[in-house]
């Protein structure tokens, strides 16, 4: 496997830092941290470049926030300047390298992939295997908090040989106390997660010769006509995860495809797709709250229009005619564009 070097000066270049800033502040133009940065833009860009060039950058202390939707999680927040910009600067250079490592059945946090593409691929595989086949559905227990720092860094070392870049990545990876935890909230974390699980992808594709496989972050499914083969795979996957990646399975379900596959927010059947019941319930509640906020003047029409468009986007990928009617999507779209 090719290892890449001579990357650090690309990360430190002013052109790259400017691009990193533009990507880090996308959609955040009204935030105080961005407004503050812009007031002394040239000086702040120079400051980040000097930090990196002189190898003085240190990951700041995290502010930890607990959220409860859709489930309880701890979100780790770093300052916009310099941390979030530096992470974008790193990934501007490393993304093309790491992207080339991933298989086409990995759909999380990748341009041209995503939830809906993963759902379409799931439907494609269901039709190829047939409704008389079986689905093995698994996910990892507390994936991001369970990722081992040393395992992750060793994976990265097999792809990157630039020592300065490795030290910069080490600074971020080991910025959390303990031996484990890749913080949810860091821009780099989604890429670290994909790199980590790419090891499983490669194992399944090249060692186990799995054909019909779809993964999104730490959730994944395998389809096959042979139930016994899938039962044997459970043992191999559990052993690989625990031995090589220091991870444990949270869920492991084996069931007939004809029962429907609940995956990526949708329920997939042979000839149609439905929105997951919990997703539908959450969207309905959100629509009520957003509509009330809009009518009371708490949010702008642009925000309201954006929410309605987002919901419509979710629904268009499913057979949702009746659901759209119960949610009054047509009426809400008229309100948003009145």
């Amino acid at each position: 496997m090719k290892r890449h070097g001579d990357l650090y000066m690309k990360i430190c270049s002013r052109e790259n830092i400017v691009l990193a800033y533009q990507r880090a502040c996308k959609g955040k133009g009204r935030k105080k941290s961005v407004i503050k940065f812009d007031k002394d833009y040239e000086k702040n860009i120079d400051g980040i470049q000097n930090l990196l060039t002189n190898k003085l950058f240190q990951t700041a202390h995290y502010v930890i926030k607990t959220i409860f939707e859709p489930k309880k999680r701890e979100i780790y927040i770093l300052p916009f300047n310099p941390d979030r910009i530096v992470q974008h600067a790193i990934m501007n250079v490393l993304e093309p390298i790491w992207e080339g490592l991933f298989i086409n059945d990995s759909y999380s946090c990748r341009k041209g992939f995503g939830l809906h593409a993963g759902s379409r691929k799931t439907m494609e595989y269901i039709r190829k295997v047939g409704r008389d086949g079986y689905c093995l559905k698994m996910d990892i227990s507390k994936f991001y908090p369970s990722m081992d720092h040393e395992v992750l860094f060793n994976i990265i070392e097999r792809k990157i040989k630039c020592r300065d870049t490795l030290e910069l990545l080490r600074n971020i990876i080991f910025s959390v106390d303990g031996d484990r935890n890749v913080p949810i909230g860091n821009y780099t974390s989604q890429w670290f997660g994909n790199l980590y699980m790419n090891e499983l992808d490669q194992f399944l594709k090249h060692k186990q010769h799995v054909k019909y496989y779809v993964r999104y972050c730490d959730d994944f499914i395998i389809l096959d006509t042979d139930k016994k083969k899938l039962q044997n795979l459970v043992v191999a996957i559990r052993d690989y995860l625990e031995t090589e990646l220091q991870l444990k399975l949270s869920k492991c379900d084996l069931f007939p495809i004809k029962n429907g596959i609940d995956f990526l927010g949708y329920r997939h059947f042979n000839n149609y797709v439905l929105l997951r019941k919990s997703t539908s319930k959450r969207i309905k509640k959100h629509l009520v709250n957003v509509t009330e906020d809009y009518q009371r003047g708490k949010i702008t029409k642009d925000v309201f229009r954006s929410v309605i468009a987002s919901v419509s986007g979710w629904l268009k990928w499913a057979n949702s005619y009746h659901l759209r009617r119960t949610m009054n999507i047509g009426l809400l779209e008229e309100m948003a564009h009145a």
Side-chain angles (χ1 to χ4, degrees), residues 10 19 24 34 64 71 89 91 97-98 116 133 146 176 198 202 224 230-231 245 248-249 264 295 308 315:
K10 295 178 183 178
L19 177 60
V34 177
I64 303 175
K71 60 183 179 181
M91 290 315 308
I97 296 171
W98 289 354
H116 301 308
S146 298
V176 183
N198 181 60
Q202 301 296 335
D224 205 284
L230 293 177
Q231 289 172 332
L245 299 181
K248 293 185 180 296
L249 287 171
L264 303 178
Q295 291 173 331
I308 302 305
L315 295 178

Side-chain angles (χ1 to χ4, degrees), residues 68-202:
F68 297 90
E69 287 289 342
K71 60 183 179 181
K72 183 179 178 181
R73 293 183 299 170
E74 287 189 334
I75 305 297
Y76 289 70
I77 303 169
L78 286 172
F80 175 75
N81 178 25
D83 292 77
R84 299 185 71 83
I85 298 172
V86 166
Q87 291 195 14
H88 275 272
I90 294 169
M91 290 315 308
N92 287 346
V93 175
L94 296 188
E95 178 180 342
I97 296 171
W98 289 354
E99 180 64 36
L101 302 171
F102 301 147
I103 65 171
N104 288 332
D105 291 321
S106 165
Y107 284 86
S108 175
C109 306
R110 300 174 64 192
K111 294 174 184 176
F113 288 79
L115 284 169
H116 301 308
S119 178
R120 292 197 302 274
K121 180 60 70 173
T122 299
M123 288 300 293
E124 177 188 326
Y125 285 168
I126 287 174
R127 288 165 183 149
K128 285 183 176 179
V129 174
R131 69 188 306 273
D132 293 328
Y134 296 88
C135 174
L136 176 61
K137 184 173 183 284
M138 296 176 153
D139 68 21
I140 308 298
S141 176
K142 300 178 180 177
F143 175 54
Y144 283 101
S146 298
M147 288 170 60
D148 184 279
H149 295 160
E150 289 290 351
V151 171
L152 173 59
F153 192 73
N154 289 339
I155 291 170
I156 292 172
E157 275 192 310
R158 297 204 300 269
K159 331 292 185 189
I160 304 295
K161 64 181 179 181
C162 174
R163 298 314 307 176
D164 290 336
T165 300
L166 285 171
E167 284 306 308
L168 185 56
L169 291 169
R170 175 184 282 277
N171 187 284
I172 295 170
I173 292 169
F174 291 87
S175 62
V176 183
D177 292 337
D179 300 327
R180 297 174 181 265
N181 194 5
V182 170
I184 299 173
N186 277 356
Y187 178 63
T188 49
S189 291
Q190 57 191 338
W191 290 96
F192 291 158
N194 258 349
L195 269 182
Y196 211 90
M197 290 298 287
N198 181 60
E199 299 295 301
L200 176 67
D201 297 344
Q202 301 296 335

